[in-house]
């Protein structure tokens, strides 16, 4: 899980800098390393939403909502899903 969290942290930094492509790539690595990292799924959904990749965003948000787990995002995944 540590490697996945490290990639999520890289994604957060890229997202904060406005680099959506780098953020999405880091979040994708994070979910590849640990598919249970719901925060990474949710953050990738946010990137995809900002990139206007609505199907991709909905798919990622669906993973979070269907997991029934806490994404650590304060419920934003459910909002993305709608």
């Amino acid at each position: 899980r540590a490697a996945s969290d490290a990639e999520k942290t890289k994604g957060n930094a890229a997202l904060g800098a406005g680099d959506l492509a780098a953020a999405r790539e880091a979040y994708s690595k994070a979910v590849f390393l640990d598919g249970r990292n719901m925060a990474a799924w949710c953050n990738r959904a946010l990137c995809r939403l900002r990139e206007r990749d609505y199907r991709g965003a909905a798919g990622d948000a669906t993973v979070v909502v269907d997991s029934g787990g806490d994404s650590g995002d304060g419920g934003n995944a459910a909002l993305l899903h709608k």
Side-chain angles (χ1 to χ4, degrees), residues 15 20 24 41-61 76-77 79-82:
L15 185 62
L20 294 176
R24 182 180 21 82
W41 281 100
C42 186
N43 291 353
R44 188 173 75 173
L46 176 61
C47 285
R48 288 179 164 176
L49 186 64
R50 289 183 179 174
E51 293 173 319
R52 297 184 177 174
D53 173 9
Y54 302 119
R55 286 186 185 190
D60 287 351
N76 291 330
L79 293 174
L80 287 170
H81 187 63
K82 291 180 181 185

Side-chain angles (χ1 to χ4, degrees), residues 5 9-10 16 21 23-24 39 45-46 55 61-62 64 69-71 74 77-78:
D5 285 339
T9 299
K10 287 180 190 177
R24 182 180 21 82
L46 176 61
R55 286 186 185 190
T62 298
V64 176
D70 179 16
S71 66

